[in-house]
Amino acid sequence: MELFSLFVTSFIVNNIIFMQFLGVCPFLGVSKKIDTSVGMGIAVIFVITLAAVITYIIQKTVLENFGLEYLQTIAFILVIAALVQFVEMFLKKSSPGLYQALGVFLPLITTNCAVLGVVILNITKEYNFVEAMVNSVGTSAGFLLAIVLFAGVREKIDTADVPEALKGSSIALVAAGLMSIAFLGFSGLKI
Amino acid sequence: MVIIKAVGVLGGLGILAGALLAVASKIFHVEVDQKVIEVRNILPGANCGACGFPGCDGLANAIAEGKAPANACPVANKEKHEQIAAIMGTTAGETDKKVAHVICQGCDSVAKKKFEYEGVKDCKAAAAIQGGDKSCDKGCLGYGNCKVVCDFDAIEIVDGLAIIDKEKCTSCGKCLEECPKAVITWVPYKNNVIVACNNKDFGKAVKDVCTVGCIGCKICEKNCEFDAIHVKDNLAKVDYDKCTHCMVCVQKCPTKSIRGDLTVIESN
């Protein structure tokens, strides 16, 4: 039950984009079409979950052993960047289909702040391994939810009569702000 | 001591990650055909998708694998096609260039209207309301979605009707995809005789909504000496392979729904 509560909290209540404002760059960049936003969302789930596993191991086995917790950020960036590169190569060779679907998105999220944010939060909140996994999956699923919803809104905006000064990114940012306010409605939700 | 430990651990991690990637790049190495890269560099890079492959990379792969001919890119010119053919060791061959054409003549001064539309100036939005303001629900709405998507500035909206400049058209096909009425079709560049109507209703129904629509009377079919025009589903269709541009059908059409260049006859 606690795990479920953790999932819902990270999924909706503390939505990574609308509440924590992490990963806003890909959120605005890759949300023009629903198709590509789904691809991006799934790639984020994939990378964040994998990064959470590796960084958790690095934190527990290396950093804490040597008393080097203060090097967390730079060590995690290093590890995640190498990891994503590795995964990209691995996919290219072993599963071209999956590479076609996710390949273009993988470099985009190599050292994205969303990835780094989640893995660091996992450590600072002192989650155990299972909790860290649930938190990572929940948070990245929240990213998928946010970006797909937003892509839907943007596809509608495309056909709307937007004032000249607000066309393009400006109206997208306004819409993102309004969606963020809507997500405020979830704050304080307790399960 | 602290510094040495920090440098050691971080450096170790870095070297480890670097070594891992170096080994992985050997193990998971995927051969990229040199031809793909060369072909890709010649292609225009517009990623328009007119060739039917996903972007220029997709086409470059297909050409290199021999699944697509060297002249498969409709946007690239003949010179580029020859360069690609040279890489592939084949000849480019002649392409029948095709251009997009709006098969509708229902401009604002001709078309009857069901209602006054005052919404967003967008074909898709207009089409969502009763199929648009023009009485004929097959015709061009003239709010210019095609003009917006055209990267080559080839489309003008004149009197509520889209007109495509065939000299500028690169046959990328974006307008065909965008048009909610599917009133834009491919026509060979060389061809001058075009049935400019998209309405497949019976004659009376067409006449009720438009004065320049094809009513399927078959006068063109009977008068054509070359068996090059046929009425199918109440709509005349030109057989572009057989048409000799004699312009008889253009002259005989009672509703003037066949568009042609009448100066051709005068010059003969």
Short mmCIF file of all heavy atoms in Angstrom, two decimals, chain B residues 144-185:
data_model
loop_
_atom_site.label_atom_id
_atom_site.label_comp_id
_atom_site.label_asym_id
_atom_site.label_seq_id
_atom_site.Cartn_x
_atom_site.Cartn_y
_atom_site.Cartn_z
N GLY B 144 -6.68 27.98 -47.17
CA GLY B 144 -5.24 28.03 -47.35
C GLY B 144 -4.37 27.19 -46.44
O GLY B 144 -3.23 27.52 -46.21
N ASN B 145 -4.89 26.04 -45.94
CA ASN B 145 -3.99 25.17 -45.17
C ASN B 145 -2.84 24.68 -46.04
O ASN B 145 -1.72 24.55 -45.58
CB ASN B 145 -4.76 23.95 -44.65
CG ASN B 145 -5.57 24.28 -43.43
OD1 ASN B 145 -5.93 25.44 -43.24
ND2 ASN B 145 -5.84 23.30 -42.61
N CYS B 146 -3.15 24.42 -47.33
CA CYS B 146 -2.11 23.92 -48.23
C CYS B 146 -1.03 24.98 -48.42
O CYS B 146 0.15 24.68 -48.47
CB CYS B 146 -2.72 23.52 -49.57
SG CYS B 146 -3.85 24.73 -50.27
N LYS B 147 -1.45 26.23 -48.51
CA LYS B 147 -0.50 27.33 -48.70
C LYS B 147 0.46 27.39 -47.50
O LYS B 147 1.66 27.63 -47.65
CB LYS B 147 -1.27 28.64 -48.82
CG LYS B 147 -0.40 29.86 -49.11
CD LYS B 147 -1.29 31.10 -49.13
CE LYS B 147 -0.51 32.36 -48.85
NZ LYS B 147 0.14 32.92 -50.01
N VAL B 148 -0.09 27.15 -46.30
CA VAL B 148 0.73 27.22 -45.09
C VAL B 148 1.77 26.09 -45.06
O VAL B 148 2.93 26.32 -44.74
CB VAL B 148 -0.15 27.15 -43.82
CG1 VAL B 148 0.71 27.05 -42.58
CG2 VAL B 148 -1.05 28.38 -43.75
N VAL B 149 1.35 24.87 -45.44
CA VAL B 149 2.30 23.75 -45.34
C VAL B 149 3.30 23.73 -46.49
O VAL B 149 4.32 23.05 -46.41
CB VAL B 149 1.61 22.37 -45.26
CG1 VAL B 149 0.82 22.25 -43.99
CG2 VAL B 149 0.76 22.10 -46.48
N CYS B 150 3.02 24.47 -47.56
CA CYS B 150 3.91 24.40 -48.73
C CYS B 150 5.23 25.11 -48.39
O CYS B 150 5.26 26.30 -48.11
CB CYS B 150 3.27 25.06 -49.93
SG CYS B 150 4.31 24.93 -51.40
N ASP B 151 6.32 24.32 -48.44
CA ASP B 151 7.63 24.89 -48.12
C ASP B 151 8.22 25.63 -49.31
O ASP B 151 9.27 26.24 -49.20
CB ASP B 151 8.60 23.76 -47.73
CG ASP B 151 8.24 23.15 -46.40
OD1 ASP B 151 7.64 23.88 -45.58
OD2 ASP B 151 8.55 21.98 -46.17
N PHE B 152 7.58 25.52 -50.45
CA PHE B 152 8.21 26.03 -51.67
C PHE B 152 7.45 27.21 -52.26
O PHE B 152 7.68 27.59 -53.40
CB PHE B 152 8.36 24.89 -52.68
CG PHE B 152 9.10 23.71 -52.10
CD1 PHE B 152 8.41 22.63 -51.57
CD2 PHE B 152 10.47 23.71 -52.04
CE1 PHE B 152 9.10 21.56 -51.02
CE2 PHE B 152 11.16 22.64 -51.49
CZ PHE B 152 10.47 21.57 -50.97
N ASP B 153 6.50 27.75 -51.50
CA ASP B 153 5.80 28.96 -51.90
C ASP B 153 5.08 28.78 -53.23
O ASP B 153 5.04 29.69 -54.04
CB ASP B 153 6.81 30.12 -51.97
CG ASP B 153 6.11 31.45 -51.82
OD1 ASP B 153 4.99 31.46 -51.29
OD2 ASP B 153 6.67 32.46 -52.25
N ALA B 154 4.56 27.59 -53.49
CA ALA B 154 4.00 27.30 -54.80
C ALA B 154 2.48 27.47 -54.85
O ALA B 154 1.88 27.34 -55.90
CB ALA B 154 4.37 25.88 -55.22
N ILE B 155 1.86 27.75 -53.70
CA ILE B 155 0.40 27.79 -53.67
C ILE B 155 -0.09 29.20 -53.35
O ILE B 155 0.40 29.85 -52.42
CB ILE B 155 -0.16 26.77 -52.64
CG1 ILE B 155 0.36 25.37 -52.94
CG2 ILE B 155 -1.68 26.81 -52.62
CD1 ILE B 155 -0.11 24.29 -52.01
N GLU B 156 -1.04 29.67 -54.14
CA GLU B 156 -1.67 30.97 -53.89
C GLU B 156 -3.16 30.72 -53.65
O GLU B 156 -3.75 29.81 -54.23
CB GLU B 156 -1.52 31.88 -55.11
CG GLU B 156 -0.14 32.45 -55.32
CD GLU B 156 0.26 33.43 -54.23
OE1 GLU B 156 -0.63 34.13 -53.69
OE2 GLU B 156 1.46 33.47 -53.91
N ILE B 157 -3.76 31.54 -52.80
CA ILE B 157 -5.21 31.48 -52.67
C ILE B 157 -5.77 32.66 -53.45
O ILE B 157 -5.51 33.82 -53.12
CB ILE B 157 -5.64 31.58 -51.19
CG1 ILE B 157 -4.95 30.51 -50.35
CG2 ILE B 157 -7.15 31.46 -51.09
CD1 ILE B 157 -5.30 29.09 -50.70
N VAL B 158 -6.49 32.35 -54.53
CA VAL B 158 -7.06 33.41 -55.35
C VAL B 158 -8.58 33.29 -55.30
O VAL B 158 -9.13 32.27 -55.68
CB VAL B 158 -6.56 33.30 -56.81
CG1 VAL B 158 -7.12 34.43 -57.64
CG2 VAL B 158 -5.05 33.30 -56.84
N ASP B 159 -9.23 34.29 -54.80
CA ASP B 159 -10.69 34.33 -54.76
C ASP B 159 -11.26 33.06 -54.09
O ASP B 159 -12.17 32.44 -54.61
CB ASP B 159 -11.23 34.49 -56.20
CG ASP B 159 -12.71 34.88 -56.18
OD1 ASP B 159 -13.20 35.34 -55.13
OD2 ASP B 159 -13.37 34.71 -57.22
N GLY B 160 -10.69 32.69 -52.97
CA GLY B 160 -11.21 31.55 -52.22
C GLY B 160 -10.95 30.20 -52.86
O GLY B 160 -11.69 29.24 -52.66
N LEU B 161 -9.88 30.12 -53.66
CA LEU B 161 -9.54 28.85 -54.30
C LEU B 161 -8.03 28.72 -54.35
O LEU B 161 -7.33 29.66 -54.70
CB LEU B 161 -10.12 28.84 -55.72
CG LEU B 161 -10.02 27.54 -56.49
CD1 LEU B 161 -10.93 26.48 -55.90
CD2 LEU B 161 -10.40 27.76 -57.95
N ALA B 162 -7.55 27.54 -53.98
CA ALA B 162 -6.10 27.33 -54.00
C ALA B 162 -5.64 27.09 -55.43
O ALA B 162 -6.25 26.31 -56.17
CB ALA B 162 -5.72 26.14 -53.13
N ILE B 163 -4.60 27.79 -55.84
CA ILE B 163 -4.02 27.60 -57.16
C ILE B 163 -2.56 27.21 -56.96
O ILE B 163 -1.82 27.90 -56.26
CB ILE B 163 -4.05 28.90 -58.00
CG1 ILE B 163 -5.46 29.50 -58.01
CG2 ILE B 163 -3.53 28.65 -59.40
CD1 ILE B 163 -6.43 28.82 -58.91
N ILE B 164 -2.15 26.10 -57.59
CA ILE B 164 -0.76 25.64 -57.42
C ILE B 164 0.04 25.98 -58.68
O ILE B 164 -0.36 25.65 -59.79
CB ILE B 164 -0.72 24.12 -57.16
CG1 ILE B 164 -1.51 23.81 -55.88
CG2 ILE B 164 0.72 23.64 -57.02
CD1 ILE B 164 -1.63 22.35 -55.56
N ASP B 165 1.14 26.65 -58.45
CA ASP B 165 2.05 27.01 -59.54
C ASP B 165 2.87 25.77 -59.89
O ASP B 165 3.69 25.31 -59.10
CB ASP B 165 2.97 28.14 -59.07
CG ASP B 165 3.89 28.61 -60.19
OD1 ASP B 165 4.03 27.86 -61.18
OD2 ASP B 165 4.45 29.71 -60.07
N LYS B 166 2.62 25.21 -61.09
CA LYS B 166 3.27 23.92 -61.37
C LYS B 166 4.76 24.06 -61.62
O LYS B 166 5.50 23.09 -61.57
CB LYS B 166 2.57 23.19 -62.51
CG LYS B 166 2.82 23.68 -63.91
CD LYS B 166 2.16 22.69 -64.86
CE LYS B 166 2.44 23.04 -66.31
NZ LYS B 166 1.84 22.07 -67.22
N GLU B 167 5.21 25.28 -61.89
CA GLU B 167 6.65 25.48 -62.05
C GLU B 167 7.35 25.38 -60.69
O GLU B 167 8.47 24.90 -60.58
CB GLU B 167 6.94 26.85 -62.67
CG GLU B 167 6.29 27.08 -64.03
CD GLU B 167 6.70 26.03 -65.06
OE1 GLU B 167 7.82 25.51 -64.93
OE2 GLU B 167 5.89 25.73 -65.96
N LYS B 168 6.67 25.88 -59.66
CA LYS B 168 7.30 25.89 -58.33
C LYS B 168 7.09 24.57 -57.58
O LYS B 168 7.82 24.25 -56.65
CB LYS B 168 6.74 27.03 -57.48
CG LYS B 168 7.25 28.41 -57.90
CD LYS B 168 6.70 29.44 -56.93
CE LYS B 168 7.07 30.85 -57.34
NZ LYS B 168 6.36 31.84 -56.53
N CYS B 169 6.06 23.83 -57.97
CA CYS B 169 5.72 22.61 -57.23
C CYS B 169 6.86 21.59 -57.33
O CYS B 169 7.36 21.31 -58.41
CB CYS B 169 4.44 22.00 -57.78
SG CYS B 169 3.98 20.47 -56.95
N THR B 170 7.27 21.06 -56.18
CA THR B 170 8.34 20.06 -56.17
C THR B 170 7.79 18.66 -55.92
O THR B 170 8.54 17.74 -55.65
CB THR B 170 9.37 20.38 -55.08
OG1 THR B 170 8.68 20.35 -53.83
CG2 THR B 170 10.00 21.73 -55.29
N SER B 171 6.48 18.54 -55.96
CA SER B 171 5.77 17.28 -55.71
C SER B 171 6.18 16.62 -54.40
O SER B 171 6.42 15.42 -54.33
CB SER B 171 5.91 16.31 -56.88
OG SER B 171 7.21 16.30 -57.40
N CYS B 172 6.26 17.41 -53.35
CA CYS B 172 6.56 16.83 -52.04
C CYS B 172 5.32 16.19 -51.42
O CYS B 172 5.44 15.33 -50.56
CB CYS B 172 7.13 17.88 -51.08
SG CYS B 172 5.94 19.10 -50.50
N GLY B 173 4.13 16.62 -51.84
CA GLY B 173 2.91 15.97 -51.40
C GLY B 173 2.36 16.41 -50.06
O GLY B 173 1.42 15.82 -49.55
N LYS B 174 2.97 17.46 -49.47
CA LYS B 174 2.48 17.89 -48.16
C LYS B 174 1.05 18.43 -48.25
O LYS B 174 0.25 18.22 -47.35
CB LYS B 174 3.39 18.97 -47.59
CG LYS B 174 4.59 18.42 -46.88
CD LYS B 174 5.27 19.52 -46.11
CE LYS B 174 6.50 18.96 -45.42
NZ LYS B 174 7.37 20.01 -44.91
N CYS B 175 0.75 19.13 -49.34
CA CYS B 175 -0.58 19.72 -49.47
C CYS B 175 -1.63 18.62 -49.62
O CYS B 175 -2.74 18.74 -49.11
CB CYS B 175 -0.64 20.70 -50.62
SG CYS B 175 0.02 20.08 -52.17
N LEU B 176 -1.25 17.52 -50.30
CA LEU B 176 -2.21 16.42 -50.45
C LEU B 176 -2.60 15.84 -49.10
O LEU B 176 -3.74 15.46 -48.88
CB LEU B 176 -1.62 15.30 -51.32
CG LEU B 176 -1.81 15.43 -52.83
CD1 LEU B 176 -0.76 16.33 -53.40
CD2 LEU B 176 -1.80 14.08 -53.49
N GLU B 177 -1.61 15.76 -48.24
CA GLU B 177 -1.87 15.23 -46.90
C GLU B 177 -2.70 16.20 -46.07
O GLU B 177 -3.56 15.80 -45.31
CB GLU B 177 -0.55 15.00 -46.17
CG GLU B 177 -0.01 13.63 -46.31
CD GLU B 177 1.34 13.52 -45.65
OE1 GLU B 177 1.53 14.09 -44.56
OE2 GLU B 177 2.21 12.88 -46.25
N GLU B 178 -2.41 17.48 -46.25
CA GLU B 178 -3.03 18.48 -45.38
C GLU B 178 -4.49 18.71 -45.73
O GLU B 178 -5.32 18.92 -44.86
CB GLU B 178 -2.24 19.79 -45.48
CG GLU B 178 -2.74 20.92 -44.62
CD GLU B 178 -2.54 20.64 -43.13
OE1 GLU B 178 -1.76 19.75 -42.77
OE2 GLU B 178 -3.22 21.33 -42.33
N CYS B 179 -4.83 18.63 -47.01
CA CYS B 179 -6.16 19.04 -47.47
C CYS B 179 -7.24 18.14 -46.87
O CYS B 179 -7.26 16.93 -47.09
CB CYS B 179 -6.23 18.98 -48.99
SG CYS B 179 -7.82 19.52 -49.61
N PRO B 180 -8.17 18.69 -46.10
CA PRO B 180 -9.20 17.86 -45.48
C PRO B 180 -10.23 17.36 -46.50
O PRO B 180 -10.97 16.43 -46.26
CB PRO B 180 -9.86 18.80 -44.47
CG PRO B 180 -9.62 20.17 -44.98
CD PRO B 180 -8.31 20.12 -45.72
N LYS B 181 -10.26 18.00 -47.67
CA LYS B 181 -11.23 17.63 -48.70
C LYS B 181 -10.63 16.70 -49.75
O LYS B 181 -11.32 16.31 -50.69
CB LYS B 181 -11.73 18.91 -49.40
CG LYS B 181 -12.59 19.78 -48.49
CD LYS B 181 -13.91 19.10 -48.24
CE LYS B 181 -14.77 19.91 -47.33
NZ LYS B 181 -15.97 19.18 -46.92
N ALA B 182 -9.36 16.44 -49.65
CA ALA B 182 -8.65 15.62 -50.64
C ALA B 182 -8.95 16.08 -52.05
O ALA B 182 -9.25 15.29 -52.94
CB ALA B 182 -9.00 14.13 -50.47
N VAL B 183 -8.89 17.38 -52.25
CA VAL B 183 -9.24 17.95 -53.55
C VAL B 183 -7.97 18.23 -54.37
O VAL B 183 -8.02 18.74 -55.46
CB VAL B 183 -10.12 19.21 -53.34
CG1 VAL B 183 -9.31 20.37 -52.82
CG2 VAL B 183 -10.86 19.59 -54.61
N ILE B 184 -6.82 17.85 -53.80
CA ILE B 184 -5.56 18.02 -54.53
C ILE B 184 -5.08 16.65 -54.98
O ILE B 184 -5.06 15.70 -54.20
CB ILE B 184 -4.49 18.68 -53.63
CG1 ILE B 184 -5.04 19.98 -53.05
CG2 ILE B 184 -3.23 18.95 -54.41
CD1 ILE B 184 -4.10 20.69 -52.09
N THR B 185 -4.74 16.52 -56.26
CA THR B 185 -4.26 15.22 -56.75
C THR B 185 -2.99 15.42 -57.58
O THR B 185 -2.60 16.53 -57.89
CB THR B 185 -5.28 14.53 -57.68
OG1 THR B 185 -5.59 15.42 -58.73
CG2 THR B 185 -6.50 14.11 -56.94
#
